Amino acid sequence: MSPYNKLNNITGWIIFILATTVYALTVEPTASFWDCGEFIAVSYKLEVPHPPGAPFFLLLGRLFSFFAMGDVEQVAYWINMLSVVSSGFTVLFLFWSITHFAKKLVAENTDYSNLVIIGSGIIGALVYTFSDSFWFSAVEAEVYGMSSFFTAFVVWAILKWENIKDPSDENRWMILIAYMVGLSIGVHLLNLVTVPALALIYYFKKREQVTMRGIITTMLASGAIVLIIMEGVIPGLPSLAGKLEIIFVNNIGLPFGSGIVFFAIVFLGGLVYGIYHSIQSSNVTLNTILVSFAFILIGYSSYSIVLIRSNYNPPIDENNPEDVLSYVSYLKREQYGSRPLLKGQYFTADIVDQKKGAPVYTKGEDKYEISDYKLEYVYDPDHTTILPRAYSTQPSHVQRYREILGLKNGEKPSFGDNLTYMFKHQLGTMYFRYFMWNFAGRASDIQGADWVGLNDAFEKVPPMLEENKGRNIFYMIPLLLGIIGLVFQYYKDPKNFTFVGMLFFLTGAAIVLYLNSPPTEPRERDYIYAGSYYAFAIWVGIGMVAIFNLFFALLKKGIPAAAISLALCLGAPLLMATEGWDDHDRSNRYFSVDSAKNFLASCAPNAIIFTGGDNDTFPLWYVQEVEGFRTDVRVIVLSYFNTDWYIAQMMRDAYESKPLPFGLTLENYKQGGLNDYLPLVERQNIKGGTMNAAQFIKLIKDEHPALAVPTSISSYNSVPAKNFYLPVDSAKVAEMGIIPEQFSSMLSDRMTWSMKGRGLEKKDLAILDLIVNNNWERPIYFNNTSASSVNFNLKEYMVQEGNAFRLLPIRNTYAGEMFVDTDMMFENMMNNFHWRELDNPTVYYSEDYRNFVLNHRASFNTLIENLIAEEKMDKAKEAVLKCLEIMPDHVIRYDHFSVQQVGYLIIVDEIDKAVEMAELISTRSDEMLTYLFDTGNLNRFELQKNLISLSELARIFRGTEKLELATKYEELFRKHYQIAQ
C-alpha cells in the first residue's frame, strides 16, 4: 500500500470516528416526533409501518435494539444509534470520494500533494457532517441517514470501479453496486436517482472520445434502468404475479397462491437459465447484467418481511398487506393518491366527469372478489396544462396558490403563473431555501424561516429571534467555498464536474420536479434533498484545492500554501459546528415521549382514545409497543378509521384491550361498499329532522333501501337527517359511577347532536356505531385534534380530565364548551403526568416540542380557570406555580397562553410574579412588533399574537392597583395597532 493510500485510509477512519462521535453525543435518547416513534415501534417488534415501508431499515433497527439488553427505555436510543452509525459511514465514503476527485486536480509526487488532497477531503466531509439537514437526520430513527449512506457508498464504489484495470474485477464491483441499490430499496427510493450520475462514470471510462450524443444516450439508458427498477421491479413484479394469481384462482379454479408459485418458478427459472446460458456462451456482458439484476432482487427481497409479518396480524399492521394484491397497493402507496406530473389540471379546474377505472380485488372465501373500482376524474379541458404545478383543489392550497401568485378570487392561472409557482415556490422556497440553510445560514427554527445572507447576518433582530437556538449564521462561507470548488472543477476536470453536477441536480431539483409538492406541508422537508447537499459538499472540499492554487501562485511554496489553505478552510466546518451544536444537540430531551404518556395517563382504564396527526399518534404507539405503557388503552387514528383494514384490526384484541364494541359488521365497512361516504339527503318524514342514532345504525346494518342513493356507477347509503339523538339509560349510567359527582345533576336521558357538514365519512359512521353500541361500558376519549375533526358537534358532551376529553351523557348548556373535571384533571396533571427535563436550560426544544409544551400550558390554564371558578384558590395557586416551575421561561419562553397566567397570578395573590411576567411579555411583544413593522415582515399570526398579548395585559391590570401598568400596556398596544391599520 502506497504512503498516500495508507494516509487516505487512516484519515478517513479518523473522520468517521469524529463524525460518529459528534452524532453519538447529540443523538436523541428516545423517540422524537414525526415518523420516528412509528419506526422505533415497528422495528422493535417487526411490525408493518406506513407505505411503502422500509423493511431493511426495520431489520437493522431490530438488530440494534438488542443492544438495549432488555431495558425497554433504551430501545429507542439504540435504534437512533443506527442512524448515527449510518451517517458516520456516509461521511467516511464522502471523504474518500472527495480525495478521489482532488487527486486528479493536484500535481502528484510533490511535497504538498498529500496535504492538499487529504485536506480537501477533511473540509468537505466536515462541512457535510455539520450541515443542518444531514445532522438533523443523523440523530433520530428515520430512514434518511441510512439512505444517505447508500448514496455515499454507491458513489464511492463507482469511483473505485473507475480506477480498476482488470475487467473481471470491474464486474464484481458493478455487481456490488447493484446489490447495494437493491438493499437501498428496502430503506428509501432516493438512492435510485443516483443511477444516471453513476452511468456517466461508466461512459467516461469506456469511451475515449466523449460526445454530447454519447452523454444523452447514457442518460436515456440509465433513466430506463431507473424506470425498470421503480416500475418494473418494485411494484411491477408483484403486480404481474397478482394478475396471474387472479387468473389461476378465479378463471382456472386453482387454490390461493397457485399463481404466485407459477410466477416464481417461471421467473426465477428464467433468470437462472439466463445466467447459466451467459456462462456457457462466455457472454460476460450478459452475465454481468443478469447477475446484477439477480443481486438487485436479492437486496429487494427484504420486502418479503412485509408480507410475512402482516400475516401474523401485529398490533401495527398498516394497510394489512398480507396477500399479493394488497401488497401491490402498499408498494404503490395508493392510499396517498397521485399527483399530475406531465399533464393535468389547474387548481381552478372543475371535474366534468368521472369514469370507472380498473377493478380493485380483495381476497374472498374461495376466490378474489371485486370490491371496488378506481375512479378516474375528467377535468375541464380549458383548465388543464402540460407540466401542471399549481394543481391541488384543497381550499387551503387554493388560497395559498393565490397568495403566492397574486391572483384574485375567481381569477384563473395562466401557464406563466404555473411556471412562476414552480420556480418561485417549489424550486425557490421548497428547495433553494433549504439549500441555503445548509451553506449560508438559517434565520430560526420556526417553520417558514428564511435563510440568512450577509446583510441579514448583521441585522439587528429582537432578542426572541437572536436567542433562538435555531438561528445559525455561517456568513455564507461554506457556500462561497463550494462555489469556488464548482467553478474550479468545471475548468480543470469537466468530466467529473459533469458527474458531480448531475448528482447535485438529480438529488435536488429533479426530486422537486418529480414530487410536485403542494404549496403547504405539515413540516419542513429539507431532509429529502440531503443528497444534493452531499454533492455540494464535494465542491466545498474541492474549493480548498482552488484556494491552495491561489496561495501557491502567490507564495511559490507548496507546504506553506497548503497549510494556510487548510487552516483558512477549516473555519467553515468549525463555524458550522459552533453555530449548529446547540440546536442539533438532542441529549436529555424526553418530552415527545412524556407528552404521549400524558395523553394516555389522562384516560381511564380500558379506554378508547381517538387521535389525529402523526405527532398525536406515533409517540403513543411507541410508548405502548416498546415501553409497554398503558396498553389497556386502544389508540384509534381518526384518518385510518376511514379504511376497512383498520376497522378490521379494531375488531380484534390488542394486548389488554378487547375488540371495540361495533354493532355493524366488517361487511358494512367494506371498502367500495355502500358506506365509504354518506351524503346528507334529508327526508321530510323524520319527525323534527332528528333521527335516533341507534335506528340509523340498524338501517345501515340491514342495508335498508330507504337509505340508498343510486349513481351512474354504483349506489351508496345516505344520511336522512342532520340531527341525531341517542336515548340514555340514566339510571344504569348513574350506577356505573362514571359521572363526576359535581355533574351528576346534569346527567341526561337523551343526547342530541348535529352533523357539521353535508355528509358522513366512514370514520364518522364508525364513531357513531361505537357511541351507540358501547353503552358507556368503555371510556371514549378524544384529543384536541380528533375532537375538532370528527364530523359531529359533540364537544358539549365532553369532559376534560387532563389532555384528553371524555365523552359522557352530560350536557354543557354553554354552547360548544366542555366540562372540566377539576378533581380528576388536578390529580392527573399534578401527580400522574411526566415532565422530564422541561426545566433544564441546556436542553434544546425545537418548534415541534414547544408547541406540545404550549398545549400543556393551555391545559393548565383550563384547569386553573375552572378551579378559580369553583373557588378552589389553594389548588389554583398550586397549579399555576407548578406550571411556571416545570415549564420556566428560561427553557420554554412565555407565550400567549402565559398572558392568561398573569391574570391567574393576580387572582391567587402572587402580584410580584404577575408583574414580572407581564413586564417580560410586554417588552418582547413591543420588540417583536417594532421589528416586524421596521422590516416590513407583516406576518399576520405574529402581529395578531403580540397585539392581543398587549391588549390582554392592559385589560388584566385595569382591575388592579397597578393602573400605571395598564396605561403602559394600553399605550404600547395603541402605538402598534395604529401602524398595523
Side-chain angles (χ1 to χ4, degrees):
M1 182 183 292
S2 69
Y4 165 76
N5 287 337
K6 185 176 181 180
L7 179 62
N8 189 40
N9 289 342
I10 292 173
T11 308
W13 285 109
I14 291 172
I15 293 296
F16 164 78
I17 292 170
L18 176 60
T20 305
T21 301
V22 166
Y23 299 145
L25 290 173
T26 57
V27 70
E28 186 121 18
T30 187
S32 52
F33 282 121
W34 300 104
D35 294 351
C36 300
E38 177 197 21
F39 277 127
I40 293 169
V42 297
S43 293
Y44 183 56
K45 293 185 176 177
L46 291 182
E47 302 179 74
V48 182
H50 65 272
F56 188 66
F57 179 88
L58 303 191
L59 286 169
L60 290 180
R62 173 63 176 160
L63 182 65
F64 268 68
S65 73
F66 294 153
F67 291 113
M69 306 297 289
D71 184 351
V72 292
E73 292 191 353
Q74 288 297 309
V75 167
Y77 169 81
W78 282 108
I79 297 179
N80 287 339
M81 285 298 292
L82 173 59
S83 291
V84 168
V85 175
S86 299
S87 301
F89 274 109
T90 302
V91 174
L92 168 68
F93 290 116
L94 172 60
F95 171 84
W96 284 334
S97 298
I98 294 173
T99 56
H100 174 91
F101 292 122
K103 194 175 180 182
K104 297 183 178 185
L105 298 168
V106 178
E108 295 187 33
N109 301 319
T110 59
D111 59 349
Y112 56 80
S113 59
N114 286 358
L115 181 57
V116 176
I117 295 168
I118 299 301
S120 68
I122 292 171
I123 299 302
L126 289 182
V127 162
Y128 192 59
T129 297
F130 298 115
S131 62
D132 182 52
S133 301
F134 184 67
W135 196 348
F136 177 88
S137 297
V139 292
E140 66 177 16
E142 252 280 20
V143 297
Y144 296 100
M146 185 178 289
S147 177
S148 294
F149 158 73
F150 280 107
T151 297
F153 183 90
V154 297
V155 169
W156 169 80
I158 198 68
L159 298 178
K160 289 285 288 185
W161 172 88
E162 183 186 25
N163 287 338
I164 293 172
K165 306 300 180 185
D166 186 344
S168 61
D169 287 341
E170 283 186 351
N171 295 338
R172 292 190 185 100
W173 278 91
M174 294 303 292
I175 292 168
L176 173 62
I177 291 171
Y179 178 58
M180 295 298 281
V181 168
L183 283 178
S184 75
I185 295 171
V187 177
H188 202 283
L189 297 181
L190 281 174
N191 192 48
L192 293 177
V193 300
T194 65
V195 171
L198 305 182
L200 283 176
I201 296 293
Y202 183 91
Y203 171 71
F204 292 149
K205 181 175 180 179
K206 295 298 183 180
R207 293 289 183 270
E208 292 184 7
Q209 186 175 358
V210 175
T211 64
M212 183 57 67
R213 180 179 179 182
I215 292 175
I216 293 173
T217 302
T218 302
M219 289 292 95
L220 292 175
S222 57
I225 292 173
V226 175
L227 287 175
I228 288 170
I229 296 173
M230 288 190 66
E231 299 296 331
V233 174
I234 298 173
L237 293 179
S239 295
L240 180 56
K243 291 176 181 177
L244 288 173
E245 172 77 354
I246 292 171
I247 292 172
F248 274 60
V249 175
N250 287 15
N251 297 353
I252 302 177
L254 293 175
F256 288 119
S258 55
I260 307 297
V261 173
F262 174 79
F263 172 79
I265 292 173
V266 172
F267 178 76
L268 295 178
L271 182 58
V272 170
Y273 174 76
I275 294 172
Y276 172 78
H277 173 72
S278 68
I279 295 171
Q280 293 299 108
S281 61
S282 299
N283 190 330
V284 176
T285 302
L286 178 62
N287 179 263
T288 303
I289 292 172
L290 291 178
V291 172
S292 296
F293 182 63
F295 271 84
I296 288 174
L297 294 179
I298 292 170
Y300 173 53
S301 67
S302 67
Y303 260 99
S304 61
I305 193 176
V306 174
L307 278 166
I308 293 168
R309 294 300 296 163
S310 182
N311 273 280
Y312 279 92
N313 294 326
I316 301 176
D317 187 12
E318 298 187 55
N319 287 63
N320 194 35
E322 57 186 27
D323 60 67
V324 67
L325 301 180
S326 56
Y327 179 63
V328 171
S329 175
Y330 181 86
L331 290 174
K332 290 183 175 180
R333 305 173 80 247
E334 289 182 349
Q335 77 173 53
Y336 300 116
S338 61
R339 297 170 180 175
L341 292 179
L342 299 179
K343 186 177 181 182
Q345 73 281 2
Y346 287 124
F347 64 87
T348 53
D350 293 323
I351 297 174
V352 295
D353 195 9
Q354 57 183 19
K355 297 180 180 179
K356 183 187 290 187
V360 177
Y361 287 91
T362 54
K363 190 175 181 180
E365 290 187 8
D366 54 4
K367 67 176 184 178
Y368 293 100
E369 302 169 349
I370 297 177
S371 60
D372 197 4
Y373 289 90
K374 296 177 182 177
L375 285 179
E376 297 177 358
Y377 294 108
V378 179
Y379 290 91
D380 182 352
D382 293 334
H383 291 262
T384 58
T385 181
I386 59 170
L387 199 67
R389 302 286 104 184
Y391 61 87
S392 175
T393 56
Q394 289 187 27
S396 60
H397 291 170
V398 171
Q399 179 183 354
R400 185 67 184 126
Y401 285 134
R402 295 194 179 280
E403 290 174 356
I404 294 168
L405 298 173
L407 298 176
K408 299 177 182 177
N409 287 334
E411 190 175 355
K412 300 175 183 177
S414 65
F415 186 67
D417 293 324
N418 186 60
L419 293 181
T420 297
Y421 172 74
M422 180 180 74
F423 286 106
K424 179 181 178 180
H425 192 75
Q426 289 185 324
L427 288 169
T429 302
M430 304 183 81
Y431 171 66
F432 182 73
R433 177 171 63 101
Y434 296 150
F435 172 79
M436 296 298 280
W437 279 3
N438 286 274
F439 300 103
R442 182 174 180 176
S444 72
D445 64 2
I446 300 170
Q447 184 160 345
D450 210 344
W451 58 277
V452 179
L454 281 177
N455 291 335
D456 303 319
F458 298 101
E459 177 187 28
K460 183 175 175 56
V461 298
M464 189 173 177
L465 291 179
E466 182 67 33
E467 296 167 12
N468 185 293
K469 291 184 179 181
R471 183 174 178 83
N472 298 325
I473 311 297
F474 303 150
Y475 303 101
M476 302 181 74
I477 293 172
L479 176 70
L480 180 61
L481 200 55
I483 292 173
I484 291 171
L486 180 157
V487 174
F488 185 76
Q489 190 183 38
Y490 173 78
Y491 284 106
K492 297 293 185 179
D493 188 7
K495 286 185 180 179
N496 282 311
F497 168 80
T498 305
F499 166 73
V500 179
M502 184 58 66
L503 185 65
F504 178 72
F505 170 74
L506 290 172
T507 54
I511 294 177
V512 175
L513 298 175
Y514 176 76
L515 291 178
N516 197 12
S517 298
T520 59
E521 293 277 11
R523 61 184 294 198
E524 302 284 15
R525 302 292 190 186
D526 54 299
Y527 51 85
I528 296 174
Y529 311 108
S532 71
Y533 317 146
Y534 167 92
F536 192 79
I538 295 175
W539 282 325
V540 172
I542 294 173
M544 186 208 145
V545 180
I547 290 174
F548 161 77
N549 280 10
L550 174 63
F551 280 106
F552 185 69
L554 293 173
L555 302 176
K556 308 300 182 183
K557 294 182 180 181
I559 295 293
I564 292 171
S565 302
L566 179 58
L568 285 175
C569 293
L570 270 175
L574 288 175
L575 175 63
M576 295 172 73
T578 303
E579 286 287 301
W581 191 280
D582 59 354
D583 59 303
H584 291 88
D585 181 6
R586 305 193 190 189
S587 54
N588 297 317
R589 195 166 78 177
Y590 297 96
F591 198 62
S592 52
V593 170
D594 285 353
S595 65
K597 290 181 177 180
N598 294 346
F599 274 120
L600 295 174
S602 301
C603 301
N606 198 34
I608 299 165
I609 183 169
F610 290 94
T611 64
D614 293 357
N615 287 342
D616 289 346
T617 305
F618 294 156
L620 275 67
W621 284 1
Y622 162 77
V623 297
Q624 287 190 320
E625 296 295 314
V626 178
E627 298 191 10
F629 183 85
R630 291 301 305 272
T631 50
D632 60 303
V633 178
R634 183 64 68 99
V635 176
I636 302 178
V637 188
L638 201 57
S639 58
Y640 291 178
F641 225 30
N642 270 328
T643 63
D644 53 1
W645 58 264
Y646 190 67
I647 291 174
Q649 292 172 18
M650 296 299 108
M651 293 180 174
R652 60 183 188 231
D653 288 351
Y655 304 111
E656 295 90 39
S657 174
K658 295 299 180 183
L660 299 189
F662 290 106
L664 299 177
T665 65
L666 186 57
E667 185 66 24
N668 297 124
Y669 290 113
K670 186 177 179 182
Q671 217 72 15
L674 299 174
N675 303 309
D676 285 346
Y677 180 76
L678 296 82
L680 176 63
V681 182
E682 296 186 84
R683 310 298 203 277
Q684 298 300 319
N685 60 344
I686 294 179
K687 185 178 179 181
T690 303
M691 186 172 191
N692 186 317
Q695 182 185 0
F696 174 67
I697 293 297
K698 186 177 186 305
L699 292 174
I700 292 287
K701 186 171 185 176
D702 296 340
E703 297 185 4
H704 199 285
L707 298 181
V709 176
T711 68
S712 58
I713 296 178
S714 61
S715 65
Y716 48 82
N717 282 328
S718 62
V719 184
K722 189 174 180 65
N723 302 311
F724 291 92
Y725 73 89
L726 180 67
V728 176
D729 187 343
S730 55
K732 179 183 176 183
V733 170
E735 288 178 7
M736 295 170 71
I738 62 174
I739 306 299
E741 183 179 349
Q742 63 269 37
F743 303 132
S744 58
S745 62
M746 301 176 187
L747 176 60
S748 173
D749 59 4
R750 175 180 165 120
M751 293 176 65
T752 59
W753 66 87
S754 61
M755 289 168 47
K756 291 180 182 176
R758 299 295 299 174
L760 298 181
E761 297 179 42
K762 186 179 295 182
K763 67 183 182 188
D764 304 311
L765 177 64
I767 291 171
L768 192 64
D769 186 2
L770 288 178
I771 293 173
V772 167
N773 290 286
N774 182 49
N775 294 319
W776 309 105
E777 292 174 2
R778 293 184 67 171
I780 295 177
Y781 289 85
F782 297 83
N783 71 355
N784 263 320
T785 308
S786 60
S788 301
S789 300
V790 68
N791 205 17
F792 299 115
N793 292 307
L794 291 170
K795 286 189 176 181
E796 55 196 13
Y797 290 103
M798 292 183 188
V799 179
Q800 187 168 357
E801 298 180 354
N803 281 355
F805 310 97
R806 184 172 182 173
L807 187 69
L808 287 172
I810 55 175
R811 186 172 192 173
N812 195 327
T813 54
Y814 293 99
E817 291 191 18
M818 303 181 191
F819 287 107
V820 176
D821 184 347
T822 54
D823 292 336
M824 179 68 73
M825 193 169 178
F826 185 87
E827 175 64 22
N828 281 333
M829 299 198 70
M830 302 295 287
N831 301 316
N832 298 334
F833 276 18
H834 300 74
W835 312 103
R836 286 178 294 176
E837 302 292 343
L838 269 186
D839 58 349
N840 186 344
T842 66
V843 178
Y844 168 62
Y845 291 101
S846 63
E847 187 179 31
D848 295 326
Y849 286 80
R850 295 197 299 269
N851 287 339
F852 269 79
V853 172
L854 302 195
N855 292 341
H856 283 72
R857 275 182 177 162
S859 294
F860 262 113
N861 286 359
T862 299
L863 171 62
I864 296 162
E865 184 174 341
N866 282 271
L867 286 170
I868 291 171
E870 295 173 11
E871 298 184 355
K872 299 176 180 178
M873 294 303 176
D874 290 343
K875 282 189 171 183
K877 182 175 182 177
E878 191 178 345
V880 70
L881 294 179
K882 173 82 170 182
C883 181
L884 296 175
E885 175 193 351
I886 60 178
M887 293 177 271
D889 174 73
H890 64 272
V891 180
I892 308 292
R893 280 177 172 267
Y894 293 145
D895 56 84
H896 48 288
F897 291 116
S898 302
V899 176
Q900 294 175 257
Q901 293 177 1
V902 172
Y904 302 148
L905 285 169
I906 292 172
I907 293 172
V908 299
D909 201 27
E910 289 285 346
I911 304 295
D912 292 342
K913 277 189 172 61
V915 171
E916 181 184 345
M917 279 184 70
E919 286 291 272
L920 201 55
I921 294 170
S922 65
T923 299
R924 289 172 181 168
S925 293
D926 181 32
E927 291 170 344
M928 179 58 72
L929 288 167
T930 301
Y931 170 75
L932 292 174
F933 290 130
D934 288 349
T935 59
N937 179 13
L938 302 183
N939 183 309
R940 285 180 295 180
F941 176 73
E942 283 294 327
L943 287 173
Q944 186 179 37
K945 181 176 68 174
N946 286 284
L947 284 169
I948 290 175
S949 293
L950 291 173
S951 175
E952 182 66 11
L953 287 174
R955 183 196 64 78
I956 289 170
F957 279 93
R958 283 194 204 104
T960 70
E961 296 178 356
K962 304 284 187 180
L963 292 178
E964 72 281 3
L965 289 178
T967 303
K968 174 184 175 181
Y969 303 145
E970 179 72 24
E971 289 175 353
L972 285 174
F973 168 76
R974 291 186 180 279
K975 179 184 76 172
H976 293 297
Y977 183 76
Q978 288 173 0
I979 300 173
Q981 294 303 302

